[in-house]
Amino acid sequence: MPVQPDSARPPLFTWEFAADPYPAYAWLREHEPVHRTTLPSGVEAWLVTRYADARQALADSRLSKNPVHHSGQAHRTGRVGIPGERQADLMTHLLNIDPPDHTRLRRLVSKAFTPRRVAEFEPRVQQLTDRLIDGFAARGSADLIHEFAFPLPIYAICDMLGVPAEDQDDFRDWAGMMLRHTKPGHGSGQRGGVGRAVKRMRAYLAELIHRKRADLGDDLISGLIRASDHGEHLTENEAAAMAFILLFAGFETTVNLIGNGTYALLRNPGQRALLQESVARGESGLLETGIEELLRYDGPVELATWRFATSPLTIGGVEIPVGDPVLVVLAAANRDPARFADENGLDLTRTDNPHLGFGHGIHYCIGAPLARLEGRAALATLLTRLPDLRLAESPDNLRWRGGLIMRGLRELPVEFSPEKKAVEPSAGAADTSG
């Protein structure tokens, strides 16, 4: 397939692109499905946009997750990976390693982060969801990102990890610093603030793990410490790195799942009505398929995390040299008309939906069950308690964060009929019962 002239190629990583990247991705899928580009950070990388190619790349063992196969300088300056993770000694987590180390760590972590643990956490997620909605339901308006979608997964994962309640607001502050991405094309900007937040979180996790070792509980960090496999345990650095990545990767994914999902429903009133009616009847089927469709339609992760070619390989007919970074564009693959009928339409009843929203292969997101649980609770409760929820701002005025990997709104202002609180009887009221 011939390379198109620069004048024909749509611009990438601009503010306009961040607001709606899908037309540009459709052009790339058709004309340059494996496209070499210069990222806002200055790093050159290949973008993979077709579903079949993306699925192949995500499972290809020749694409390493370890940044050592790329430029060490690029990683030290924070242009590859999470800013500050190297300096904070947080590199040994599932997003940065390959088998056999990945196999060992994932097996150990899976002993602690089990489906049963997630399922048992459902009442707590519902409690947090209702508490946050209580904070603005009587007001008639809210910013659903800052008041709901952002704090819900932070407090949930803190609870699951075993972070004491009195320390959780610190985690919320650090997470907020990590979400302040820079404007596309404007260099590093506030990435130093991200690095400082990572270092503070690392210091706290080291101290918390030390305390947990002396007094193990039922929380996830205690489970990570307790996990063993043929006599092998997670080292303290490995436990800290895994707790960090569960928090870092888990909370922003869920923020965007809730924010993007709510926004998509508000922009598609027919689909929203179907889901609202189904939830009101106490059904779960449409909510479950609906979450999967929202993950496909405008999912929280736009590009899969970094991969690096360890040997020459061919993707979509394009030769990738050794050492080159490859970024699989999940958002483009999930709207590939070669795989999905009515690819740009939202259909909550879609059942043939093998989307790549949480990745594919051995690096499939280990926190996906928790994100799905939080997404179901958030959307069902919003639709039930605030049935006339509506946008309070024109879609054209909404701002999207300009990060590379994640896709999410900066804010989501909404209005609704204020929820009336039950009237409490006065202390001196006569008891007329019986």
Side-chain angles (χ1 to χ4, degrees), residues 250-262:
F251 90 86
E252 190 173 2
T253 299
T254 309
V255 172
N256 295 343
L257 171 57
I258 296 170
N260 297 3
T262 303

Side-chain angles (χ1 to χ4, degrees), residues 114-123 160 369 373:
T114 61
R116 178 179 177 182
R117 184 187 293 273
V118 173
E120 290 175 346
F121 200 58
E122 184 171 2
M160 183 170 272
L373 168 61

